[in-house]
């Protein structure tokens, strides 16, 4: 069985990033929207469906998150959304951590 999770850490404030909206796509088709919890984590599930092999994309809406935190951004923030495209090729757990500031990010496959 294949599972997927993500974790967003706000390095600007030194806290988990809660209430970050994340859109998920499969082979460029929108599936659903989810949101991180108070620990900055999110485990997406597809109703009555497993994650199958193919290309996925998580789109993290960071402009709304940092705006809600009162970060003084210009009228045109540097990072508005962060798309992370990856492929699932075998069964297992796929964990996608995202470390963010209003001006930078790092993503990797975690465990």
């Amino acid at each position: 069985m294949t599972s997927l999770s993500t974790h967003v850490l706000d390095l600007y404030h030194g806290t988990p990033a809660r209430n970050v909206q994340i859109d998920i796509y499969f082979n460029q088709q929108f599936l659903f929207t989810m949101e991180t919890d108070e620990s900055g984590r999110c485990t997406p599930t597809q109703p009555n469906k497993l994650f199958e092999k193919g290309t996925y994309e998580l789109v993290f809406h960071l402009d709304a998150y940092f705006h809600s935190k009162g970060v003084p951004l210009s009228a045109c923030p540097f990072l508005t959304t962060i798309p992370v495209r990856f492929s699932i090729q075998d069964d297992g757990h796929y964990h996608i951590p995202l470390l963010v500031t209003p001006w930078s990010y790092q993503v990797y496959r975690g465990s």
Side-chain angles (χ1 to χ4, degrees), residues 9-15 65-66 69-73 100-103:
L9 296 172
D10 176 348
L11 299 181
Y12 185 77
H13 293 99
T15 61
Y65 166 76
F66 282 114
K69 298 287 283 183
V71 175
L73 301 174
V100 297
T101 76
W103 308 277

Side-chain angles (χ1 to χ4, degrees), residues 40-83:
R41 296 179 183 276
C42 189
T43 303
T45 57
Q46 297 189 79
N48 303 317
K49 190 173 180 183
L50 298 175
F51 287 98
E52 55 189 281
K53 293 180 183 180
T55 301
Y56 288 84
E57 183 173 65
L58 300 177
V59 179
F60 298 85
H61 294 263
L62 271 298
D63 55 346
Y65 166 76
F66 282 114
H67 179 71
S68 75
K69 298 287 283 183
V71 175
L73 301 174
S74 68
C76 297
F78 182 65
L79 293 174
T80 57
T81 58
I82 298 174

Side-chain angles (χ1 to χ4, degrees), residues 14 31 39 67 70 88:
L31 293 178
S39 68
H67 179 71
I88 290 180

